[in-house]
Amino acid sequence: MQARIYSTKQEVAEKFSAFFKDEAKKQDAFHVALSGGSTPKIVFDYLAAHFGTDIDWSKVFFYWGDERCVQPTDDESNYKMTVQHLLSKIEIPAGNIFRILGENDPKKEAIRYSDVLEKNVPNENGVPKFDLVILGMGDDGHTASVFPHEITLWDADENCVVAIHPESGQRRVSITGKIINNAETVAFLVTGSSKAEKVEEIIRPKADTTIYPATLVKPSSNKLIWFLDEDAAKGL
């Protein structure tokens, strides 16, 4: 596990974008699971503005680690956010974009998207293997859409499950732990002082530390990188 700490959220965006470009250039086909959230917005903006023509987007295939069960035009849609901040600004084939259909019945969509991953993402040990999974982390220690109150979803046999937000009750479709931990590289993008307590607990756990979903991110490749700003890393 690596923790890469930068002074500001903007610098996190710059450094991660350069990392993304370098990783994409190594691959003939680069399969990536995207995250929603405020930090990816800045990352996507920077990636499009500064590396939009440096990356061969025909080799990049985008999927989502989770999606809210809303229309793709809804402001809460992770897909809509990615379109606004990245996809609309780059030349990427439509066939390279595999969105979770948040407007569909959640249970049926979890099954359908599991099948999408099986058919389109390279397989290793019987499990789809992403080249890169991008994750965020909530103030409560959740990641993807596996929340602490449903932490057992992490170990589900399925590729995708339906999760429920603990406060709003909103349904979400999320990939599970076996997909995340089978990835070649997993990168957390975490910024802001509100995340500092959980970052410290997860990266420097003590004997009595609570287990959070983000604690369970342990890729078998051992390639786990935390991209942090100083506010999020102030407890390290």
Side-chain angles (χ1 to χ4, degrees), residues 55-177:
I55 295 171
D56 181 357
W57 295 102
S58 69
K59 300 193 308 180
V60 179
F61 297 84
F62 282 136
Y63 308 77
W64 275 260
D66 67 326
E67 180 60 278
R68 298 174 176 90
C69 293
V70 297
Q71 294 290 327
T73 54
D74 193 291
D75 287 342
E76 290 199 337
S77 167
N78 287 338
Y79 170 74
K80 180 181 179 180
M81 183 275 283
T82 310
V83 169
Q84 290 179 328
H85 293 271
L86 178 62
L87 300 180
S88 64
K89 302 176 181 181
I90 60 175
E91 296 294 329
I92 184 168
N96 290 23
I97 299 167
F98 300 87
R99 76 176 181 92
I100 298 172
L101 305 180
E103 67 272 27
N104 286 358
D105 175 81
K107 289 184 179 179
K108 292 180 180 178
E109 181 56 18
I111 294 170
R112 187 197 72 85
Y113 205 65
S114 291
D115 190 50
V116 167
L117 301 185
E118 291 281 356
K119 290 180 177 178
N120 294 283
V121 180
N123 193 285
E124 185 174 282
N125 301 319
V127 180
K129 184 181 182 66
F130 282 105
D131 297 297
L132 174 64
V133 171
I134 301 170
L135 296 175
M137 185 192 70
D139 294 352
D140 60 357
H142 85 264
T143 194
S145 277
V146 179
F147 294 92
H149 77 291
E150 292 184 321
I151 197 167
T152 55
L153 290 178
W154 183 267
D155 292 319
D157 291 333
E158 297 84 2
N159 294 334
C160 302
V161 291
V162 179
I164 301 175
H165 190 280
E167 296 176 3
S168 69
Q170 182 187 62
R171 263 60 176 174
R172 301 181 179 188
V173 174
S174 177
I175 60 174
T176 56

Side-chain angles (χ1 to χ4, degrees), residues 199-233:
V199 167
E200 181 181 5
E201 286 187 69
I202 291 166
I203 292 181
R204 291 186 176 173
K206 300 175 183 175
D208 59 348
T209 295
T210 302
I211 300 298
Y212 301 102
T215 315
L216 303 176
V217 178
K218 296 177 180 178
S220 56
S221 67
N222 292 318
K223 295 178 182 177
L224 172 60
I225 307 171
W226 289 73
F227 289 81
L228 304 163
D229 68 355
E230 289 182 351
D231 286 340

Side-chain angles (χ1 to χ4, degrees), residues 43-53 85-86 89-90:
V43 169
F44 295 162
D45 284 338
Y46 191 90
L47 189 61
H50 296 272
F51 298 110
T53 58
H85 293 271
L86 178 62
K89 302 176 181 181
I90 60 175

